[in-house]
Amino acid sequence: MEQDKELSLVRKNGNEIRHIIHPSFDVMMEAVKKTPPSIQYIKNPPLSVMITAVNGGWNALRFIEDAPYEVKLAAVKNKGWAIQYIRDPELELQKEAVRRDFDAIQYIREPSCEVQLEAVNSFWSALKYVKKPCREAKVLAISKSEQAITYVGDYTEEELKSYLLANIRIVKYIYDSLNIEMLYEVLEEKLGRDDVAPDYIRDFMELQILDINKVNYIRDHGSRSTKQKLIDYVLGR
């Protein structure tokens, strides 16, 4: 009978569990289902109660001391931002957090290149939350969107070449400061390959800021495969 009263109480407001001495398992579960942060008032909560709490509200994790790995994982799967409440998070938790929410990387201190790549793979603009992004992450971000070049900052000529190879569309953002001779070197290298993607050829052909005869350029510098893909592009328009 007493438990029925307690259940009724926490179903209205889970925080009421703070007034209950030695709550039963059912009462604990009902409390965190109703009010996830009420986990802070439960001493030594069972694993399933902790998981229920963070599944209901990811930020309930901040009220759980020494949370087991399973609880931390459930929290970041619910919301990547939960990583901010985990001290020295394991690599897999970091990766799971940024897979769930790319911008969760802002809560990870000095994320590894592996974690950066996971975040950028989720969404390219994750790059703007990383103070010192690795080259691989920058190239991946640029390959996904030419706008990512605006988050890269200073770069060497070699780095710029890798960006141009990844996405020719960045030219429209950097044209005024671009070494045109170097650009043509990159284009000759890229278009001379057999494995150039059709999308790259399309982007090159549609790059209006580059005022050259692009058909003739591919005729002169493109591989046989590139020339065939150009024909496919022209016929498919």
Side-chain angles (χ1 to χ4, degrees):
M1 195 69 176
E2 186 64 27
Q3 177 168 289
D4 290 341
K5 292 181 180 179
E6 293 174 352
L7 286 170
S8 178
L9 193 64
V10 297
R11 282 171 182 156
K12 293 178 181 177
N13 184 348
N15 288 327
E16 290 300 318
I17 199 171
R18 60 186 165 183
H19 302 303
I20 300 174
I21 300 174
H22 305 308
S24 68
F25 175 80
D26 290 340
V27 171
M28 287 188 281
M29 286 295 281
E30 287 299 326
V32 298
K33 284 179 183 177
K34 177 63 178 179
T35 313
S38 67
I39 190 76
Q40 65 187 296
Y41 303 117
I42 301 175
K43 293 182 179 180
N44 303 315
L47 179 63
S48 58
V49 172
M50 291 187 281
I51 291 177
T52 299
V54 298
N55 281 339
W58 59 271
N59 56 1
L61 183 64
R62 62 179 168 161
F63 299 117
I64 303 175
E65 292 186 15
D66 301 319
Y69 181 84
E70 297 91 335
V71 176
K72 294 185 285 188
L73 181 60
V76 297
K77 281 188 173 182
N78 185 5
K79 183 70 176 176
W81 289 10
I83 198 76
Q84 67 187 287
Y85 299 125
I86 303 175
R87 182 179 299 175
D88 300 323
E90 293 88 340
L91 176 61
E92 194 52 45
L93 288 177
Q94 296 180 40
K95 291 166 67 175
E96 187 63 45
V98 298
R99 279 195 290 261
R100 175 62 180 82
D101 294 286
F102 72 91
D103 56 352
I105 199 167
Q106 66 188 298
Y107 300 115
I108 300 175
R109 183 180 179 183
E110 298 180 355
S112 67
C113 192
E114 187 176 355
V115 174
Q116 293 177 37
L117 287 169
E118 285 282 356
V120 169
N121 197 47
S122 294
F123 193 60
W124 63 268
S125 70
L127 200 67
K128 69 181 178 181
Y129 296 107
V130 184
K131 290 183 179 179
K132 295 181 179 180
C134 64
R135 182 169 176 175
E136 294 88 341
K138 290 186 282 190
V139 170
L140 178 60
I142 287 168
S143 72
K144 288 178 170 291
S145 173
E146 63 273 22
Q147 294 180 52
I149 192 68
T150 62
Y151 298 140
V152 165
D154 295 333
Y155 42 77
T156 65
E157 184 172 293
E158 282 304 308
E159 289 172 330
L160 178 56
K161 286 181 180 179
S162 66
Y163 304 152
L164 289 165
L165 289 169
N167 191 341
I168 192 62
R169 289 176 298 181
I170 67 170
V171 168
K172 61 188 179 183
Y173 286 93
I174 61 173
Y175 186 79
D176 290 340
S177 61
L178 191 59
N179 182 325
I180 298 300
E181 289 185 7
M182 185 268 287
L183 171 62
Y184 289 147
E185 288 178 10
V186 171
L187 286 171
E188 287 181 28
E189 176 187 343
K190 184 73 174 185
L191 298 174
R193 297 176 182 176
D194 290 327
D195 62 349
V196 62
D199 287 350
Y200 195 94
I201 295 171
R202 178 203 65 204
D203 294 340
F204 170 66
M205 294 298 297
E206 296 177 3
L207 189 63
Q208 295 181 3
I209 198 170
L210 191 59
D211 189 18
I212 61 173
N213 188 315
K214 299 184 181 71
V215 172
N216 287 345
Y217 192 88
I218 289 179
R219 183 198 63 195
D220 294 339
H221 302 289
S223 66
R224 178 179 295 183
S225 174
T226 298
K227 293 172 183 175
Q228 181 58 55
K229 290 168 185 172
L230 172 62
I231 293 172
D232 294 340
Y233 165 79
V234 172
L235 294 177
R237 296 183 69 183

Short mmCIF file of all heavy atoms in Angstrom, two decimals, residues 82-112:
data_model
loop_
_atom_site.label_atom_id
_atom_site.label_comp_id
_atom_site.label_asym_id
_atom_site.label_seq_id
_atom_site.Cartn_x
_atom_site.Cartn_y
_atom_site.Cartn_z
N ALA A 82 26.19 14.97 -24.59
CA ALA A 82 26.41 14.36 -23.27
C ALA A 82 27.89 14.11 -23.01
O ALA A 82 28.29 13.93 -21.85
CB ALA A 82 25.62 13.05 -23.17
N ILE A 83 28.70 14.12 -24.05
CA ILE A 83 30.13 13.88 -23.90
C ILE A 83 30.77 14.91 -22.97
O ILE A 83 31.80 14.65 -22.35
CB ILE A 83 30.83 13.88 -25.29
CG1 ILE A 83 32.21 13.19 -25.21
CG2 ILE A 83 30.95 15.29 -25.84
CD1 ILE A 83 32.15 11.71 -25.16
N GLN A 84 30.15 16.07 -22.84
CA GLN A 84 30.71 17.12 -21.97
C GLN A 84 30.67 16.74 -20.50
O GLN A 84 31.40 17.32 -19.68
CB GLN A 84 29.96 18.44 -22.18
CG GLN A 84 28.51 18.42 -21.73
CD GLN A 84 27.77 19.69 -22.10
OE1 GLN A 84 27.98 20.75 -21.51
NE2 GLN A 84 26.90 19.58 -23.11
N TYR A 85 29.85 15.75 -20.15
CA TYR A 85 29.74 15.31 -18.76
C TYR A 85 30.58 14.07 -18.46
O TYR A 85 30.46 13.47 -17.40
CB TYR A 85 28.28 15.03 -18.41
CG TYR A 85 27.38 16.24 -18.55
CD1 TYR A 85 26.24 16.20 -19.35
CD2 TYR A 85 27.68 17.44 -17.92
CE1 TYR A 85 25.42 17.31 -19.51
CE2 TYR A 85 26.88 18.56 -18.07
CZ TYR A 85 25.75 18.49 -18.86
OH TYR A 85 24.95 19.59 -19.00
N ILE A 86 31.43 13.70 -19.41
CA ILE A 86 32.27 12.52 -19.24
C ILE A 86 33.73 12.95 -19.16
O ILE A 86 34.25 13.56 -20.09
CB ILE A 86 32.08 11.53 -20.41
CG1 ILE A 86 30.61 11.13 -20.54
CG2 ILE A 86 32.96 10.30 -20.21
CD1 ILE A 86 30.31 10.26 -21.75
N ARG A 87 34.35 12.64 -18.06
CA ARG A 87 35.76 12.98 -17.89
C ARG A 87 36.62 11.97 -18.61
O ARG A 87 36.45 10.77 -18.45
CB ARG A 87 36.11 13.01 -16.40
CG ARG A 87 37.55 13.41 -16.10
CD ARG A 87 37.82 13.43 -14.62
NE ARG A 87 36.97 14.40 -13.93
CZ ARG A 87 36.94 14.54 -12.60
NH1 ARG A 87 37.68 13.77 -11.84
NH2 ARG A 87 36.14 15.44 -12.06
N ASP A 88 37.53 12.45 -19.42
CA ASP A 88 38.42 11.58 -20.18
C ASP A 88 37.65 10.47 -20.90
O ASP A 88 37.87 9.27 -20.66
CB ASP A 88 39.48 10.96 -19.27
CG ASP A 88 40.35 12.01 -18.58
OD1 ASP A 88 40.67 13.03 -19.23
OD2 ASP A 88 40.71 11.80 -17.41
N PRO A 89 36.76 10.84 -21.79
CA PRO A 89 35.94 9.83 -22.49
C PRO A 89 36.77 8.92 -23.39
O PRO A 89 37.73 9.36 -24.02
CB PRO A 89 34.97 10.68 -23.32
CG PRO A 89 35.69 11.97 -23.53
CD PRO A 89 36.46 12.20 -22.27
N GLU A 90 36.40 7.65 -23.41
CA GLU A 90 37.06 6.68 -24.28
C GLU A 90 36.88 7.08 -25.75
O GLU A 90 35.92 7.76 -26.10
CB GLU A 90 36.48 5.29 -24.05
CG GLU A 90 36.78 4.69 -22.67
CD GLU A 90 35.75 5.06 -21.61
OE1 GLU A 90 35.01 6.06 -21.81
OE2 GLU A 90 35.68 4.36 -20.59
N LEU A 91 37.79 6.62 -26.59
CA LEU A 91 37.75 6.96 -28.01
C LEU A 91 36.42 6.60 -28.64
O LEU A 91 35.84 7.38 -29.39
CB LEU A 91 38.89 6.25 -28.75
CG LEU A 91 38.92 6.43 -30.27
CD1 LEU A 91 39.11 7.89 -30.64
CD2 LEU A 91 40.02 5.57 -30.89
N GLU A 92 35.91 5.41 -28.33
CA GLU A 92 34.65 4.98 -28.94
C GLU A 92 33.49 5.87 -28.52
O GLU A 92 32.56 6.12 -29.31
CB GLU A 92 34.36 3.52 -28.60
CG GLU A 92 33.27 2.89 -29.45
CD GLU A 92 33.50 3.05 -30.95
OE1 GLU A 92 34.62 2.84 -31.42
OE2 GLU A 92 32.53 3.43 -31.65
N LEU A 93 33.51 6.37 -27.29
CA LEU A 93 32.47 7.29 -26.84
C LEU A 93 32.56 8.62 -27.60
O LEU A 93 31.54 9.20 -27.97
CB LEU A 93 32.59 7.55 -25.34
CG LEU A 93 32.19 6.40 -24.40
CD1 LEU A 93 32.43 6.81 -22.96
CD2 LEU A 93 30.72 6.02 -24.61
N GLN A 94 33.78 9.08 -27.82
CA GLN A 94 33.96 10.32 -28.59
C GLN A 94 33.42 10.15 -30.01
O GLN A 94 32.71 11.02 -30.53
CB GLN A 94 35.44 10.69 -28.65
CG GLN A 94 36.06 11.03 -27.30
CD GLN A 94 37.53 11.39 -27.42
OE1 GLN A 94 37.95 12.07 -28.34
NE2 GLN A 94 38.34 10.92 -26.49
N LYS A 95 33.75 9.04 -30.63
CA LYS A 95 33.29 8.79 -32.00
C LYS A 95 31.77 8.65 -32.06
O LYS A 95 31.13 9.16 -32.98
CB LYS A 95 33.97 7.53 -32.54
CG LYS A 95 35.46 7.73 -32.78
CD LYS A 95 36.20 6.42 -33.00
CE LYS A 95 35.79 5.74 -34.29
NZ LYS A 95 36.60 4.52 -34.54
N GLU A 96 31.22 7.98 -31.07
CA GLU A 96 29.76 7.81 -31.03
C GLU A 96 29.08 9.16 -30.84
O GLU A 96 28.04 9.44 -31.45
CB GLU A 96 29.37 6.86 -29.90
CG GLU A 96 27.90 6.49 -29.88
CD GLU A 96 27.47 5.71 -31.11
OE1 GLU A 96 28.19 4.78 -31.52
OE2 GLU A 96 26.41 6.05 -31.68
N ALA A 97 29.67 10.01 -30.02
CA ALA A 97 29.09 11.33 -29.76
C ALA A 97 29.03 12.18 -31.03
O ALA A 97 28.00 12.79 -31.33
CB ALA A 97 29.90 12.06 -28.68
N VAL A 98 30.12 12.20 -31.80
CA VAL A 98 30.14 13.04 -33.00
C VAL A 98 29.37 12.40 -34.15
O VAL A 98 28.93 13.10 -35.07
CB VAL A 98 31.57 13.39 -33.43
CG1 VAL A 98 32.27 14.20 -32.33
CG2 VAL A 98 32.39 12.16 -33.79
N ARG A 99 29.21 11.08 -34.10
CA ARG A 99 28.33 10.45 -35.10
C ARG A 99 26.89 10.86 -34.83
O ARG A 99 26.11 11.06 -35.77
CB ARG A 99 28.48 8.93 -35.05
CG ARG A 99 29.68 8.38 -35.80
CD ARG A 99 29.57 6.89 -36.02
NE ARG A 99 29.72 6.13 -34.79
CZ ARG A 99 30.84 5.53 -34.41
NH1 ARG A 99 31.93 5.61 -35.17
NH2 ARG A 99 30.89 4.85 -33.29
N ARG A 100 26.54 10.96 -33.56
CA ARG A 100 25.18 11.34 -33.18
C ARG A 100 24.92 12.83 -33.46
O ARG A 100 23.90 13.20 -34.03
CB ARG A 100 24.93 11.05 -31.70
CG ARG A 100 23.59 11.51 -31.14
CD ARG A 100 22.43 10.82 -31.84
NE ARG A 100 21.16 11.26 -31.29
CZ ARG A 100 20.54 12.38 -31.65
NH1 ARG A 100 21.07 13.18 -32.56
NH2 ARG A 100 19.38 12.71 -31.12
N ASP A 101 25.87 13.67 -33.04
CA ASP A 101 25.77 15.12 -33.26
C ASP A 101 27.16 15.64 -33.60
O ASP A 101 28.03 15.69 -32.73
CB ASP A 101 25.24 15.82 -32.00
CG ASP A 101 23.82 15.44 -31.67
OD1 ASP A 101 22.91 15.90 -32.37
OD2 ASP A 101 23.62 14.66 -30.73
N PHE A 102 27.35 16.04 -34.85
CA PHE A 102 28.68 16.45 -35.31
C PHE A 102 29.28 17.56 -34.46
O PHE A 102 30.49 17.60 -34.20
CB PHE A 102 28.62 16.89 -36.77
CG PHE A 102 27.94 18.22 -36.99
CD1 PHE A 102 28.65 19.40 -36.99
CD2 PHE A 102 26.55 18.28 -37.19
CE1 PHE A 102 28.03 20.63 -37.19
CE2 PHE A 102 25.92 19.50 -37.40
CZ PHE A 102 26.65 20.67 -37.39
N ASP A 103 28.43 18.48 -33.96
CA ASP A 103 28.96 19.61 -33.20
C ASP A 103 29.31 19.25 -31.76
O ASP A 103 29.80 20.10 -31.01
CB ASP A 103 27.98 20.80 -33.24
CG ASP A 103 26.58 20.45 -32.74
OD1 ASP A 103 26.31 19.26 -32.52
OD2 ASP A 103 25.76 21.38 -32.60
N ALA A 104 29.10 18.00 -31.38
CA ALA A 104 29.54 17.56 -30.06
C ALA A 104 31.05 17.61 -29.94
O ALA A 104 31.60 17.59 -28.83
CB ALA A 104 29.04 16.13 -29.78
N ILE A 105 31.74 17.72 -31.07
CA ILE A 105 33.20 17.77 -31.04
C ILE A 105 33.70 19.00 -30.30
O ILE A 105 34.83 19.01 -29.81
CB ILE A 105 33.78 17.71 -32.47
CG1 ILE A 105 35.25 17.30 -32.44
CG2 ILE A 105 33.56 19.03 -33.21
CD1 ILE A 105 35.82 16.93 -33.78
N GLN A 106 32.86 20.02 -30.18
CA GLN A 106 33.27 21.22 -29.45
C GLN A 106 33.48 20.93 -27.97
O GLN A 106 34.15 21.70 -27.26
CB GLN A 106 32.24 22.32 -29.62
CG GLN A 106 30.88 22.03 -29.00
CD GLN A 106 29.84 23.06 -29.35
OE1 GLN A 106 29.98 24.25 -29.01
NE2 GLN A 106 28.81 22.65 -30.07
N TYR A 107 32.93 19.82 -27.46
CA TYR A 107 33.05 19.46 -26.06
C TYR A 107 34.16 18.43 -25.81
O TYR A 107 34.30 17.93 -24.69
CB TYR A 107 31.73 18.90 -25.54
CG TYR A 107 30.59 19.90 -25.64
CD1 TYR A 107 29.50 19.66 -26.48
CD2 TYR A 107 30.61 21.09 -24.91
CE1 TYR A 107 28.46 20.57 -26.60
CE2 TYR A 107 29.57 22.00 -25.02
CZ TYR A 107 28.50 21.74 -25.86
OH TYR A 107 27.47 22.64 -25.96
N ILE A 108 34.92 18.13 -26.86
CA ILE A 108 36.00 17.16 -26.73
C ILE A 108 37.33 17.90 -26.79
O ILE A 108 37.63 18.59 -27.77
CB ILE A 108 35.94 16.10 -27.85
CG1 ILE A 108 34.60 15.34 -27.77
CG2 ILE A 108 37.11 15.12 -27.73
CD1 ILE A 108 34.39 14.36 -28.91
N ARG A 109 38.12 17.76 -25.75
CA ARG A 109 39.40 18.46 -25.68
C ARG A 109 40.41 17.78 -26.60
O ARG A 109 40.66 16.59 -26.50
CB ARG A 109 39.90 18.46 -24.24
CG ARG A 109 41.19 19.23 -24.03
CD ARG A 109 41.61 19.17 -22.58
NE ARG A 109 42.86 19.89 -22.37
CZ ARG A 109 43.50 19.95 -21.19
NH1 ARG A 109 42.99 19.33 -20.14
NH2 ARG A 109 44.63 20.63 -21.08
N GLU A 110 40.96 18.56 -27.49
CA GLU A 110 41.98 18.08 -28.43
C GLU A 110 41.57 16.75 -29.08
O GLU A 110 42.22 15.71 -28.89
CB GLU A 110 43.33 17.93 -27.72
CG GLU A 110 43.87 19.24 -27.18
CD GLU A 110 45.21 19.09 -26.49
OE1 GLU A 110 45.68 17.94 -26.34
OE2 GLU A 110 45.80 20.11 -26.10
N PRO A 111 40.50 16.76 -29.84
CA PRO A 111 40.05 15.52 -30.49
C PRO A 111 41.09 14.98 -31.46
O PRO A 111 41.74 15.75 -32.18
CB PRO A 111 38.77 15.96 -31.23
CG PRO A 111 38.97 17.43 -31.46
CD PRO A 111 39.70 17.92 -30.24
N SER A 112 41.25 13.68 -31.49
CA SER A 112 42.20 13.05 -32.39
C SER A 112 41.73 13.20 -33.83
O SER A 112 40.56 13.52 -34.10
CB SER A 112 42.35 11.57 -32.06
OG SER A 112 41.13 10.88 -32.33
#
